[in-house]
Amino acid sequence: GVDSSILSCRQGGHKVYDIVYAGSISGRPGFVEVIAKLSRMGLKIGVAGNAINEEINFLKSLRGVEFLGLLELKEVALFLSSGVFGLNYCPDIYPYNQQTSTKVIEYLAGGMPIVSNRYEWMNYHSSTYGYSFIDIDQLNSAKDLVATRKMVIDEDIAMNFEWGRILDKSDFIEFLQKAAMQHLDIR
């Protein structure tokens, strides 16, 4: 799910970056190489997340890349709205390729088209929700970075990714109340 503030990204915002990435950097083999590839295309890239010093220094050495470090939750929506595309990168190895990508869900909720590598979860999620994305391996120049309507999901669908709606649909509060009542009955 996503924080409701992410939905505000759909209202636009001043675009500073061609591509933004918000997520973990360390422990993501191949990520810095993807950023380097995008940098060589002359793209302006904003990167936010947790990284080790070696990764930070490498990212800061790349032309057109701005490393912002960890962001507070209240800063994430503003950061995402400053980008045209959202970048997702996941090593196509188990168990990573099976895990839900929160950043993809944030980008979709924020009305952003996605640039990603192809892997099992990404292929499944995009086909389930009916959106397309630009495959990093097919991206050869900045001119290939063109969004289509099929890349941005409808706002009504995006709103279903908001945590409040997810919890309402799951009847989580009711579950907790029943569990508490059963616990009391046992004693």
Side-chain angles (χ1 to χ4, degrees):
V2 300
D3 186 78
S4 59
S5 65
I6 300 294
L7 295 167
S8 68
C9 296
R10 290 181 161 270
Q11 298 166 1
H14 177 66
K15 303 301 181 195
V16 177
Y17 306 105
D18 298 307
I19 297 177
V20 293
Y21 175 87
S24 62
I25 296 162
S26 294
R28 197 168 287 272
F31 174 77
V32 293
E33 291 80 6
V34 166
I35 297 295
K37 173 184 176 177
L38 297 171
S39 169
R40 286 189 300 272
M41 292 179 197
L43 298 169
K44 181 104 170 105
I45 307 157
V47 179
N50 191 21
I52 60 173
N53 284 336
E54 181 181 325
E55 294 162 332
I56 293 168
N57 292 335
F58 179 75
L59 292 170
K60 286 183 173 182
S61 76
L62 298 173
R63 184 176 48 102
V65 175
E66 185 174 352
F67 178 76
L68 289 85
L70 286 173
L71 299 177
E72 297 289 326
L73 180 60
K74 63 184 181 200
E75 300 170 310
V76 173
L78 182 62
F79 173 65
L80 293 183
S81 67
S82 70
V84 178
F85 286 83
L87 175 64
N88 176 54
Y89 177 78
C90 180
D92 192 13
I93 53 176
Y94 184 84
Y96 304 107
N97 60 5
Q98 306 293 310
Q99 298 171 350
T100 298
S101 173
T102 303
K103 73 184 70 44
V104 166
I105 293 170
E106 288 175 339
Y107 300 152
L108 292 170
M112 300 175 73
I114 297 170
V115 175
S116 179
N117 61 314
R118 289 196 176 280
Y119 61 97
E120 194 168 338
W121 181 87
M122 190 67 200
N123 294 334
Y124 168 79
H125 194 263
S126 62
S127 66
T128 299
Y129 286 95
Y131 65 92
S132 61
F133 59 94
I134 295 175
D135 184 344
I136 290 169
D137 294 329
Q138 303 300 313
L139 190 60
N140 297 311
S141 75
K143 290 184 262 181
D144 296 336
L145 205 59
V146 178
T148 66
R149 291 183 126 210
K150 188 87 169 125
M151 296 175 77
V152 179
I153 64 171
D154 186 68
E155 187 169 3
D156 293 336
I157 296 170
M159 291 175 71
N160 289 313
F161 294 136
E162 193 267 327
W163 273 119
R165 288 204 182 192
I166 290 171
L167 291 174
D168 286 346
K169 286 182 179 181
S170 72
D171 293 326
F172 185 65
I173 301 299
E174 183 180 326
F175 168 79
L176 289 177
Q177 290 170 336
K178 284 180 182 177
M181 295 304 289
Q182 288 175 347
H183 177 72
L184 292 174
D185 288 344
I186 293 172
R187 292 187 163 201

